[in-house]
Amino acid sequence: MHAIFSSTVWATRLHLTPWLVLSAFLAACGGGGGGGDIAPPAPVSPPVITQQPASQAVEAGTPVTFAVGLQDGTGASYQWLRNGAEVAGATQSATTLAAPAVADSGSKWSVRVSNAGGAVTSSEAVLTVTPKPVVTPVGISLVAGDVGAMGNADGTGRNAHFNNPRGIATDAQGNVYVADAGNHTIRMVTPQGAVTTVAGTAGQSGTADGAGAAARFSALTAVTLGLDGAIYILDNGGLRRMTAAGAVTTIGLQITGTAPRFLSLAAAADGAFFIASESAIWRVRPGEAATVHVGFPTSGTANGDATQASFLEIADIALDAAQNIYVAQPRTHMIRKVTPQRIVSTFAGSGALGSVDGTGTAAIFSGPTGLAVDGLGNIWVAETGSGALRKISPAGVVTTPFGAQGLFPLGSGASSLALNAAGDIYYCSWHGVAKVDPSGAVADVAGNVRPAAVAGIGAVRRLAVDGAGNVVQGTAQSELLLQKRAPDGALLPFSVVVPGYGVMNSTPLNGIATDPAGNVYVSSLLFTHGGINFFTATGGSITKVSTSGATSTVANWPIGSPGAMAPGYLTRGPDGALYFIDMATGNLVRWTEAAGATVLGQAIQLLPGGLFSMALDRWSIAVDASGRVAVVGNRAIRVVQSGALVVLAGAPGQAGSQDGEGAQARFVAPTSMVGDAAGNLYVADGEVVRKVTTTGTVSTVAGVRGSIGLRTGALPGSLNVLGEIAIGPDGVLYAISGDALIKIKLQ
């Protein structure tokens, strides 16, 4: 060891390499294969890439692999990079992205290869991901948003729609009956969630008796099941009876003087009914005069016998098997009890606000509304203040068995409960029906039981489809937010704010249009106020938004400039020109960068002084594949012929819904229009889509007049009142229907 150390020191001082020192040492020792010199190892060269990663284009969800090839991969290590950043775990000569999404499109992939001789980085390969082709079935399908909203359409589950349902009851077969107050109808929901309208006609108020749709209701508040199996209904202070077949008759209450406003209803064991106003409970037997059972015309909270007790803002009543009446008072946060002897006491609740379990008045409630009694005598309470379902035992012990589930939020309209034989508790909330089973599991039964799950779709004011089939949506406030969705509804990485977008009463005058390259054009309007709902246009501009989101002004008409135009209701024709209505003159204009503006005719007759009103009408322009230009507004469709606009279908100013030829057809509220490759026009007209052929024949192709609420599936389906409508390159229609973006494929 000493000799080796000395040799090393000696070599270092003479600046000799360790290899030479070792060779000398081995020679001195007789080693080294007979005393010859040992050659040093050959130097290692850095990696040489012979095959660079290749750029690739795939559909979303299709695996994609990037690979690199080396001249000699001995001893090489790999690290893949995405947009210059290391990809964890990607350390082989190839790397695979198992399910690329559209959001991965444009990413750049390279690999750093290293060995003992150095490192080298490959060139970058670009990944292009296109949306997976969407197979659109014939009919109505959801693209984005929520089908749930108020309406009147029958259907199953969320394809059914309600409008402020209030009372609820169950029958022996497990069907649920709902007083659909906003629609003035009685609806039936099967255990499977299928909804039908049993009596009344949506949107038509009245008091007429009759069978099914011939009956009329005006102010529905409660329903209950009678001993005879019929459904009894509180409507505008009166008691109505409905058979299982939907035949409705009125039962006279024979009340002397002015009848109070009755809010809740319960059936007694002897065939009589108890009906409650805000401050009293009445007893009525069909064919006899109604009498006050307990309470006074004036409100109060006193307990005692029928000569002393008073009530304050009764929300609901329910009876147990012993014929005790339980009363929910949300304002005082109490549950009151009325015995058959008409003795009134506070059964549960201290009057304080809160949600605390306990016995009797030691318990605390927060806005109890709906009540129901089960077969064991337990009283179930819908507590709107906490949203919880509370339970009171026959002994008055209050518990919250399922916790604070948030079932009955304030404003949801939860004012009634009903139980079936299986112990399921049904309730109305928002615009639907839900249930809680005995284990506490909550299930939506029909309609929309909560606010829209996907916010923002209902705020979209402009719609277009680009050449790739992507949907461009414009949400307008003081500015316009442009976003794009793939055909399957997924939001794409495109979000641009265009300032200066004119909006009156949340209804935009302006428009958006697309070209085959995917650019978006936006018209912006300048105006001054001329009174409530009246405006005067003073100028405007047209902005081009590229696929990368870059904006540029392609046309500008400053306020006060000679010939200043105010472009409203923008669209683009197959000839590449932009078409709009000049809101400063009411003219229909064709515009190109090369030729400027060409007036095609008078589209709108402005009011004196150049005023226009968004409260009076909506307009839209469509250009079909042949270049024919059409304008819809004032309940008529006009087309450009020989320098003038002539009526193709409908009658200006005359409302109606009938299909037919040309001037025989009528429109209710046409708001948006598009044209297809065959020259047909499609018009959003309230809750239906109308088709207008090249000769002016009008037919209804989607939705049913009078049926409001989105029901997807086979045509005609059912639609909410429509906003914008657009058409894709494949001829599929897109529309805003309530809080949903939908597709309509006609064939």
Side-chain angles (χ1 to χ4, degrees):
M1 292 296 294
H2 176 74
I4 294 174
F5 174 78
S6 299
S7 298
T8 303
V9 172
W10 170 74
T12 301
R13 290 176 179 175
L14 292 180
H15 306 288
L16 300 176
T17 67
W19 177 256
L20 291 175
V21 174
L22 179 59
S23 298
F25 175 78
L26 291 173
C29 295
D37 293 337
I38 298 177
V44 177
S45 299
V48 176
I49 295 176
T50 58
Q51 178 185 335
Q52 298 284 349
S55 295
Q56 299 190 57
V58 297
E59 291 180 358
T62 302
V64 61
T65 298
F66 295 101
V68 66
L70 301 182
Q71 188 178 67
D72 181 5
T74 304
S77 61
Y78 304 85
Q79 176 59 63
W80 284 89
L81 311 173
R82 172 176 171 155
N83 297 329
E86 293 184 354
V87 179
T91 57
Q92 303 297 320
S93 61
T95 188
T96 298
L97 190 61
V102 174
D104 295 313
S105 190
S107 57
K108 298 176 180 179
W109 295 76
S110 58
V111 61
R112 184 172 62 243
V113 187
S114 306
N115 66 9
V120 64
T121 300
S122 73
S123 60
E124 290 183 321
V126 178
L127 174 61
T128 301
V129 183
T130 56
K132 194 176 185 67
V134 177
V135 178
T136 302
V138 173
I140 301 170
S141 54
L142 180 69
V143 178
D146 195 324
V147 300
M150 73 170 62
N152 60 41
D154 291 339
T156 299
R158 286 178 63 77
N159 272 332
H161 298 266
F162 297 83
N163 185 357
N164 294 308
R166 287 297 176 260
I168 189 168
T170 56
D171 66 14
Q173 290 72 42
N175 299 304
V176 179
Y177 291 85
V178 179
D180 195 2
N183 285 322
H184 310 296
T185 56
I186 301 297
R187 316 287 292 279
M188 185 183 81
V189 187
T190 68
Q192 295 75 34
V195 179
T196 55
T197 300
V198 182
T201 297
Q204 298 189 26
S205 176
T207 59
D209 291 339
R216 294 291 180 269
F217 303 96
S218 60
L220 294 163
T221 55
V223 291
T224 195
L225 180 69
L227 295 182
D228 58 357
I231 298 296
Y232 289 80
I233 304 159
L234 272 183
D235 177 39
N236 195 29
L239 185 62
R240 317 282 295 275
R241 180 182 184 272
M242 185 188 77
T243 67
V248 177
T249 55
T250 298
I251 299 172
L253 298 181
Q254 304 178 41
I255 295 175
T256 302
T258 302
R261 179 170 177 259
F262 293 115
L263 302 172
S264 55
L265 171 69
D270 61 355
F273 294 90
F274 290 102
I275 54 177
S277 65
E278 288 192 345
S279 61
I281 300 172
W282 296 58
R283 179 182 171 89
V284 58
R285 181 185 293 275
E288 299 179 4
T291 58
V292 175
H293 185 66
V294 66
F296 297 96
T298 56
S299 299
T301 58
N303 291 322
D305 61 25
T307 65
Q308 301 168 320
S310 58
F311 298 90
L312 178 63
E313 295 187 9
I314 297 171
D316 199 13
I317 60 174
L319 274 76
D320 65 13
Q323 300 302 285
N324 296 300
I325 306 171
Y326 297 91
V327 184
Q329 286 188 184
R331 185 172 174 181
T332 61
H333 313 294
M334 294 177 180
I335 305 298
R336 314 282 295 283
K337 179 179 179 180
V338 183
T339 69
Q341 294 75 35
R342 299 196 292 169
I343 304 300
V344 179
S345 62
T346 299
F347 186 61
S350 65
L353 172 63
S355 189
V356 179
D357 292 341
T359 299
T361 56
I364 301 176
F365 289 90
S366 178
T369 53
L371 298 176
V373 181
D374 65 21
L376 300 177
N378 299 302
I379 302 96
W380 293 89
V381 184
E383 186 176 74
T384 56
S386 69
L389 191 62
R390 310 290 295 277
K391 176 183 176 182
I392 312 174
S393 74
V397 178
V398 179
T399 56
T400 310
F402 309 131
Q405 295 175 301
L407 302 178
F408 320 105
L410 289 172
S412 67
S415 59
S416 182
L417 300 176
L419 285 123
N420 65 9
D424 299 318
I425 302 172
Y426 288 85
Y427 63 94
C428 297
S429 180
W430 297 104
H431 304 297
V433 176
K435 71 176 181 179
V436 183
D437 72 16
S439 72
V442 181
D444 297 353
V445 177
N448 181 34
V449 300
R450 58 187 58 81
V454 182
I457 297 294
V460 171
R461 292 292 179 264
R462 283 304 183 203
L463 205 62
V465 183
D466 67 18
N470 298 313
V471 180
V472 183
Q473 63 183 48
T475 304
Q477 298 299 328
S478 60
E479 298 177 322
L480 178 72
L481 172 63
L482 285 180
Q483 295 172 296
K484 284 189 178 183
R485 292 183 181 273
D488 64 357
L491 277 173
L492 300 176
F494 179 92
S495 182
V496 180
V497 173
V498 181
Y501 190 79
V503 181
M504 282 70 163
N505 298 333
S506 299
T507 303
L509 292 166
N510 312 42
I512 63 175
T514 60
D515 63 21
N519 300 302
V520 184
Y521 298 84
V522 181
S523 63
S524 297
L525 187 71
L526 302 174
F527 57 86
T528 59
H529 290 274
I532 298 176
N533 288 328
F534 288 93
F535 309 90
T536 301
T538 57
S541 61
I542 298 175
T543 300
K544 178 181 178 180
V545 184
S546 72
T547 55
S548 66
T551 61
S552 59
T553 301
V554 297
N556 187 34
W557 295 278
I559 297 175
S561 62
M565 290 189 172
Y569 307 107
L570 182 74
T571 193
R572 183 182 181 278
D575 57 356
L578 296 175
Y579 295 80
F580 58 82
I581 297 176
D582 175 16
M583 298 306 295
T585 62
N587 290 328
L588 175 63
V589 175
R590 178 184 184 272
W591 183 91
T592 66
E593 288 191 71
T598 302
V599 175
L600 302 180
Q602 186 81 23
I604 300 176
Q605 187 65 48
L606 299 178
L607 299 173
L611 291 173
F612 62 88
S613 172
M614 278 306 301
L616 298 179
D617 209 352
R618 285 281 307 275
W619 300 83
S620 182
I621 306 170
V623 186
D624 65 23
S626 70
R628 185 182 63 164
V629 184
V631 176
V632 63
N634 194 27
R635 300 189 173 95
I637 295 173
R638 294 175 293 160
V639 295
V640 176
Q641 290 183 3
S642 303
L645 285 164
V646 298
V647 175
L648 175 68
Q654 296 187 33
S657 59
Q658 59 264 41
D659 292 336
E661 302 290 334
Q664 302 304 312
R666 293 290 182 270
F667 295 89
V668 173
T671 56
S672 183
M673 180 174 64
V674 292
D676 69 9
N680 300 302
L681 300 170
Y682 297 91
V683 183
D685 186 20
E687 67 273 23
V688 299
V689 176
R690 316 286 293 280
K691 176 183 176 180
V692 185
T693 67
T694 55
T695 59
T697 301
V698 179
S699 58
T700 301
V701 294
V704 176
R705 183 68 71 188
S707 178
I708 300 175
L710 180 57
R711 184 171 69 244
T712 57
L715 293 170
S718 179
L719 302 170
N720 277 308
V721 174
L722 296 167
E724 285 291 294
I725 191 171
I727 191 167
D730 56 359
V732 173
L733 299 174
Y734 291 79
I736 300 298
S737 177
D739 290 314
L741 172 62
I742 62 171
K743 285 193 287 190
I744 305 172
K745 186 174 182 180
L746 300 176
Q747 59 184 11

PDB file of all heavy atoms in Angstrom, residues 31 43 64-65 111 131 181 184 234 290 345 353 393 451 462 465 468 485 505 516 526 550 570 595 627 663 676:
ATOM      1  N   GLY A  31       3.164  -8.106 -14.159  1.00  0.00           N
ATOM      2  CA  GLY A  31       1.832  -8.368 -14.679  1.00  0.00           C
ATOM      3  C   GLY A  31       1.651  -7.735 -16.042  1.00  0.00           C
ATOM      4  O   GLY A  31       2.570  -7.235 -16.668  1.00  0.00           O
ATOM      5  N   PRO A  43     -13.209   6.128 -26.243  1.00  0.00           N
ATOM      6  CA  PRO A  43     -14.140   7.163 -25.729  1.00  0.00           C
ATOM      7  C   PRO A  43     -15.574   6.871 -26.199  1.00  0.00           C
ATOM      8  O   PRO A  43     -15.790   6.349 -27.292  1.00  0.00           O
ATOM      9  CB  PRO A  43     -13.597   8.454 -26.330  1.00  0.00           C
ATOM     10  CG  PRO A  43     -12.807   8.026 -27.524  1.00  0.00           C
ATOM     11  CD  PRO A  43     -12.224   6.685 -27.180  1.00  0.00           C
ATOM     12  N   VAL A  64     -52.000   7.297 -28.362  1.00  0.00           N
ATOM     13  CA  VAL A  64     -50.980   7.784 -29.284  1.00  0.00           C
ATOM     14  C   VAL A  64     -49.610   7.533 -28.664  1.00  0.00           C
ATOM     15  O   VAL A  64     -49.418   7.731 -27.457  1.00  0.00           O
ATOM     16  CB  VAL A  64     -51.189   9.273 -29.611  1.00  0.00           C
ATOM     17  CG1 VAL A  64     -51.095  10.135 -28.361  1.00  0.00           C
ATOM     18  CG2 VAL A  64     -50.181   9.756 -30.645  1.00  0.00           C
ATOM     19  N   THR A  65     -48.646   7.056 -29.478  1.00  0.00           N
ATOM     20  CA  THR A  65     -47.303   6.734 -28.986  1.00  0.00           C
ATOM     21  C   THR A  65     -46.260   7.539 -29.762  1.00  0.00           C
ATOM     22  O   THR A  65     -46.312   7.616 -30.996  1.00  0.00           O
ATOM     23  CB  THR A  65     -47.010   5.234 -29.152  1.00  0.00           C
ATOM     24  OG1 THR A  65     -47.956   4.488 -28.367  1.00  0.00           O
ATOM     25  CG2 THR A  65     -45.594   4.902 -28.687  1.00  0.00           C
ATOM     26  N   VAL A 111     -37.790  14.185 -26.535  1.00  0.00           N
ATOM     27  CA  VAL A 111     -37.154  13.290 -25.584  1.00  0.00           C
ATOM     28  C   VAL A 111     -35.683  13.675 -25.442  1.00  0.00           C
ATOM     29  O   VAL A 111     -35.018  14.022 -26.419  1.00  0.00           O
ATOM     30  CB  VAL A 111     -37.314  11.818 -26.015  1.00  0.00           C
ATOM     31  CG1 VAL A 111     -36.663  11.557 -27.358  1.00  0.00           C
ATOM     32  CG2 VAL A 111     -36.762  10.867 -24.956  1.00  0.00           C
ATOM     33  N   PRO A 131     -61.895  16.163 -32.100  1.00  0.00           N
ATOM     34  CA  PRO A 131     -63.008  15.565 -31.350  1.00  0.00           C
ATOM     35  C   PRO A 131     -63.445  14.243 -31.968  1.00  0.00           C
ATOM     36  O   PRO A 131     -63.428  14.075 -33.191  1.00  0.00           O
ATOM     37  CB  PRO A 131     -64.119  16.619 -31.463  1.00  0.00           C
ATOM     38  CG  PRO A 131     -63.411  17.892 -31.774  1.00  0.00           C
ATOM     39  CD  PRO A 131     -62.220  17.510 -32.595  1.00  0.00           C
ATOM     40  N   ALA A 181     -99.327  24.020  -9.230  1.00  0.00           N
ATOM     41  CA  ALA A 181     -99.995  25.312  -9.109  1.00  0.00           C
ATOM     42  C   ALA A 181     -99.714  26.236 -10.280  1.00  0.00           C
ATOM     43  O   ALA A 181    -100.624  26.904 -10.785  1.00  0.00           O
ATOM     44  CB  ALA A 181     -99.575  25.971  -7.792  1.00  0.00           C
ATOM     45  N   HIS A 184    -101.784  25.131 -13.245  1.00  0.00           N
ATOM     46  CA  HIS A 184    -103.221  24.970 -13.037  1.00  0.00           C
ATOM     47  C   HIS A 184    -103.676  23.570 -13.434  1.00  0.00           C
ATOM     48  O   HIS A 184    -104.731  23.389 -14.063  1.00  0.00           O
ATOM     49  CB  HIS A 184    -104.022  26.021 -13.819  1.00  0.00           C
ATOM     50  CG  HIS A 184    -103.544  27.424 -13.629  1.00  0.00           C
ATOM     51  ND1 HIS A 184    -103.588  28.059 -12.406  1.00  0.00           N
ATOM     52  CD2 HIS A 184    -102.993  28.315 -14.489  1.00  0.00           C
ATOM     53  CE1 HIS A 184    -103.094  29.283 -12.522  1.00  0.00           C
ATOM     54  NE2 HIS A 184    -102.720  29.448 -13.774  1.00  0.00           N
ATOM     55  N   LEU A 234    -107.797  21.386  -2.828  1.00  0.00           N
ATOM     56  CA  LEU A 234    -108.081  22.756  -2.432  1.00  0.00           C
ATOM     57  C   LEU A 234    -107.685  23.668  -3.581  1.00  0.00           C
ATOM     58  O   LEU A 234    -106.526  23.668  -4.018  1.00  0.00           O
ATOM     59  CB  LEU A 234    -107.302  23.145  -1.179  1.00  0.00           C
ATOM     60  CG  LEU A 234    -107.934  22.857   0.171  1.00  0.00           C
ATOM     61  CD1 LEU A 234    -107.045  23.371   1.302  1.00  0.00           C
ATOM     62  CD2 LEU A 234    -109.323  23.483   0.290  1.00  0.00           C
ATOM     63  N   ALA A 290    -119.534  24.068   6.034  1.00  0.00           N
ATOM     64  CA  ALA A 290    -118.267  24.031   6.757  1.00  0.00           C
ATOM     65  C   ALA A 290    -118.386  24.827   8.048  1.00  0.00           C
ATOM     66  O   ALA A 290    -119.056  25.868   8.110  1.00  0.00           O
ATOM     67  CB  ALA A 290    -117.165  24.611   5.889  1.00  0.00           C
ATOM     68  N   SER A 345    -102.506  22.300  22.082  1.00  0.00           N
ATOM     69  CA  SER A 345    -101.270  22.449  22.857  1.00  0.00           C
ATOM     70  C   SER A 345    -100.101  22.557  21.893  1.00  0.00           C
ATOM     71  O   SER A 345    -100.207  22.248  20.704  1.00  0.00           O
ATOM     72  CB  SER A 345    -101.075  21.248  23.794  1.00  0.00           C
ATOM     73  OG  SER A 345    -100.956  20.048  23.031  1.00  0.00           O
ATOM     74  N   LEU A 353     -85.695  29.904  17.138  1.00  0.00           N
ATOM     75  CA  LEU A 353     -85.238  29.522  15.803  1.00  0.00           C
ATOM     76  C   LEU A 353     -83.970  28.690  15.912  1.00  0.00           C
ATOM     77  O   LEU A 353     -82.998  29.088  16.547  1.00  0.00           O
ATOM     78  CB  LEU A 353     -84.967  30.778  14.972  1.00  0.00           C
ATOM     79  CG  LEU A 353     -84.310  30.559  13.604  1.00  0.00           C
ATOM     80  CD1 LEU A 353     -85.206  29.738  12.699  1.00  0.00           C
ATOM     81  CD2 LEU A 353     -83.984  31.907  12.949  1.00  0.00           C
ATOM     82  N   SER A 393     -91.800  11.481  17.522  1.00  0.00           N
ATOM     83  CA  SER A 393     -92.476  10.253  17.943  1.00  0.00           C
ATOM     84  C   SER A 393     -93.826  10.601  18.552  1.00  0.00           C
ATOM     85  O   SER A 393     -94.098  11.762  18.885  1.00  0.00           O
ATOM     86  CB  SER A 393     -91.620   9.518  18.971  1.00  0.00           C
ATOM     87  OG  SER A 393     -91.664  10.187  20.220  1.00  0.00           O
ATOM     88  N   PRO A 451     -82.066  23.613  -8.312  1.00  0.00           N
ATOM     89  CA  PRO A 451     -81.676  24.533  -9.384  1.00  0.00           C
ATOM     90  C   PRO A 451     -80.785  23.830 -10.394  1.00  0.00           C
ATOM     91  O   PRO A 451     -80.182  22.787 -10.118  1.00  0.00           O
ATOM     92  CB  PRO A 451     -80.914  25.635  -8.635  1.00  0.00           C
ATOM     93  CG  PRO A 451     -81.425  25.561  -7.233  1.00  0.00           C
ATOM     94  CD  PRO A 451     -81.708  24.122  -6.990  1.00  0.00           C
ATOM     95  N   ARG A 462     -76.167  34.230 -28.023  1.00  0.00           N
ATOM     96  CA  ARG A 462     -75.858  34.063 -29.430  1.00  0.00           C
ATOM     97  C   ARG A 462     -75.235  32.691 -29.660  1.00  0.00           C
ATOM     98  O   ARG A 462     -74.521  32.160 -28.807  1.00  0.00           O
ATOM     99  CB  ARG A 462     -74.924  35.155 -29.933  1.00  0.00           C
ATOM    100  CG  ARG A 462     -75.611  36.494 -30.169  1.00  0.00           C
ATOM    101  CD  ARG A 462     -76.772  36.369 -31.136  1.00  0.00           C
ATOM    102  NE  ARG A 462     -77.410  37.628 -31.439  1.00  0.00           N
ATOM    103  CZ  ARG A 462     -78.663  37.731 -31.867  1.00  0.00           C
ATOM    104  NH1 ARG A 462     -79.410  36.662 -31.988  1.00  0.00           N
ATOM    105  NH2 ARG A 462     -79.175  38.904 -32.159  1.00  0.00           N
ATOM    106  N   VAL A 465     -72.255  27.730 -35.404  1.00  0.00           N
ATOM    107  CA  VAL A 465     -71.477  26.502 -35.541  1.00  0.00           C
ATOM    108  C   VAL A 465     -70.418  26.732 -36.605  1.00  0.00           C
ATOM    109  O   VAL A 465     -70.724  27.252 -37.698  1.00  0.00           O
ATOM    110  CB  VAL A 465     -72.370  25.308 -35.933  1.00  0.00           C
ATOM    111  CG1 VAL A 465     -71.548  24.030 -35.999  1.00  0.00           C
ATOM    112  CG2 VAL A 465     -73.518  25.142 -34.942  1.00  0.00           C
ATOM    113  N   ALA A 468     -65.854  23.119 -38.475  1.00  0.00           N
ATOM    114  CA  ALA A 468     -65.463  21.841 -37.889  1.00  0.00           C
ATOM    115  C   ALA A 468     -66.574  21.231 -37.047  1.00  0.00           C
ATOM    116  O   ALA A 468     -66.389  20.172 -36.452  1.00  0.00           O
ATOM    117  CB  ALA A 468     -64.213  22.021 -37.032  1.00  0.00           C
ATOM    118  N   ARG A 485     -67.554  24.915 -27.965  1.00  0.00           N
ATOM    119  CA  ARG A 485     -67.783  23.557 -27.492  1.00  0.00           C
ATOM    120  C   ARG A 485     -67.583  22.583 -28.655  1.00  0.00           C
ATOM    121  O   ARG A 485     -67.978  22.871 -29.791  1.00  0.00           O
ATOM    122  CB  ARG A 485     -69.197  23.385 -26.942  1.00  0.00           C
ATOM    123  CG  ARG A 485     -69.476  24.150 -25.669  1.00  0.00           C
ATOM    124  CD  ARG A 485     -70.873  23.861 -25.149  1.00  0.00           C
ATOM    125  NE  ARG A 485     -71.162  24.621 -23.942  1.00  0.00           N
ATOM    126  CZ  ARG A 485     -70.853  24.208 -22.713  1.00  0.00           C
ATOM    127  NH1 ARG A 485     -70.282  23.016 -22.552  1.00  0.00           N
ATOM    128  NH2 ARG A 485     -71.132  24.936 -21.660  1.00  0.00           N
ATOM    129  N   ASN A 505     -81.966  44.971 -22.193  1.00  0.00           N
ATOM    130  CA  ASN A 505     -82.825  44.087 -21.400  1.00  0.00           C
ATOM    131  C   ASN A 505     -82.409  42.620 -21.527  1.00  0.00           C
ATOM    132  O   ASN A 505     -83.231  41.729 -21.657  1.00  0.00           O
ATOM    133  CB  ASN A 505     -84.287  44.244 -21.826  1.00  0.00           C
ATOM    134  CG  ASN A 505     -84.806  45.640 -21.589  1.00  0.00           C
ATOM    135  OD1 ASN A 505     -84.325  46.344 -20.705  1.00  0.00           O
ATOM    136  ND2 ASN A 505     -85.772  46.063 -22.376  1.00  0.00           N
ATOM    137  N   PRO A 516     -65.638  29.080 -42.605  1.00  0.00           N
ATOM    138  CA  PRO A 516     -65.170  27.687 -42.636  1.00  0.00           C
ATOM    139  C   PRO A 516     -63.847  27.457 -41.922  1.00  0.00           C
ATOM    140  O   PRO A 516     -63.565  26.342 -41.482  1.00  0.00           O
ATOM    141  CB  PRO A 516     -65.046  27.401 -44.143  1.00  0.00           C
ATOM    142  CG  PRO A 516     -66.016  28.347 -44.781  1.00  0.00           C
ATOM    143  CD  PRO A 516     -65.959  29.580 -43.950  1.00  0.00           C
ATOM    144  N   LEU A 526     -73.501  50.618 -31.001  1.00  0.00           N
ATOM    145  CA  LEU A 526     -73.478  51.791 -30.134  1.00  0.00           C
ATOM    146  C   LEU A 526     -74.858  52.442 -30.176  1.00  0.00           C
ATOM    147  O   LEU A 526     -75.471  52.535 -31.242  1.00  0.00           O
ATOM    148  CB  LEU A 526     -72.408  52.786 -30.598  1.00  0.00           C
ATOM    149  CG  LEU A 526     -70.973  52.242 -30.656  1.00  0.00           C
ATOM    150  CD1 LEU A 526     -70.042  53.279 -31.268  1.00  0.00           C
ATOM    151  CD2 LEU A 526     -70.492  51.843 -29.268  1.00  0.00           C
ATOM    152  N   ALA A 550     -57.133  35.791 -31.143  1.00  0.00           N
ATOM    153  CA  ALA A 550     -56.698  37.153 -31.461  1.00  0.00           C
ATOM    154  C   ALA A 550     -57.859  37.926 -32.087  1.00  0.00           C
ATOM    155  O   ALA A 550     -58.602  37.390 -32.918  1.00  0.00           O
ATOM    156  CB  ALA A 550     -55.512  37.118 -32.407  1.00  0.00           C
ATOM    157  N   LEU A 570     -76.132  40.002 -36.850  1.00  0.00           N
ATOM    158  CA  LEU A 570     -75.126  39.622 -37.839  1.00  0.00           C
ATOM    159  C   LEU A 570     -75.230  38.151 -38.224  1.00  0.00           C
ATOM    160  O   LEU A 570     -75.498  37.286 -37.394  1.00  0.00           O
ATOM    161  CB  LEU A 570     -73.734  39.894 -37.254  1.00  0.00           C
ATOM    162  CG  LEU A 570     -72.527  39.601 -38.137  1.00  0.00           C
ATOM    163  CD1 LEU A 570     -72.408  40.666 -39.221  1.00  0.00           C
ATOM    164  CD2 LEU A 570     -71.257  39.559 -37.288  1.00  0.00           C
ATOM    165  N   ALA A 595     -65.892  45.443 -51.023  1.00  0.00           N
ATOM    166  CA  ALA A 595     -66.927  46.279 -51.638  1.00  0.00           C
ATOM    167  C   ALA A 595     -67.645  47.178 -50.643  1.00  0.00           C
ATOM    168  O   ALA A 595     -68.395  48.069 -51.049  1.00  0.00           O
ATOM    169  CB  ALA A 595     -67.945  45.388 -52.351  1.00  0.00           C
ATOM    170  N   GLY A 627     -77.642  31.415 -51.489  1.00  0.00           N
ATOM    171  CA  GLY A 627     -77.409  32.843 -51.330  1.00  0.00           C
ATOM    172  C   GLY A 627     -78.670  33.648 -51.118  1.00  0.00           C
ATOM    173  O   GLY A 627     -78.608  34.879 -51.013  1.00  0.00           O
ATOM    174  N   ALA A 663     -98.903  32.782 -46.769  1.00  0.00           N
ATOM    175  CA  ALA A 663     -99.617  33.741 -45.929  1.00  0.00           C
ATOM    176  C   ALA A 663    -100.665  33.098 -45.037  1.00  0.00           C
ATOM    177  O   ALA A 663    -101.192  33.757 -44.125  1.00  0.00           O
ATOM    178  CB  ALA A 663    -100.276  34.801 -46.811  1.00  0.00           C
ATOM    179  N   ASP A 676     -80.683  25.849 -44.410  1.00  0.00           N
ATOM    180  CA  ASP A 676     -79.892  24.651 -44.671  1.00  0.00           C
ATOM    181  C   ASP A 676     -79.427  24.614 -46.129  1.00  0.00           C
ATOM    182  O   ASP A 676     -79.713  25.525 -46.927  1.00  0.00           O
ATOM    183  CB  ASP A 676     -80.662  23.383 -44.288  1.00  0.00           C
ATOM    184  CG  ASP A 676     -81.856  23.096 -45.194  1.00  0.00           C
ATOM    185  OD1 ASP A 676     -82.013  23.769 -46.235  1.00  0.00           O
ATOM    186  OD2 ASP A 676     -82.640  22.185 -44.867  1.00  0.00           O
TER     187      ASP A 676
END
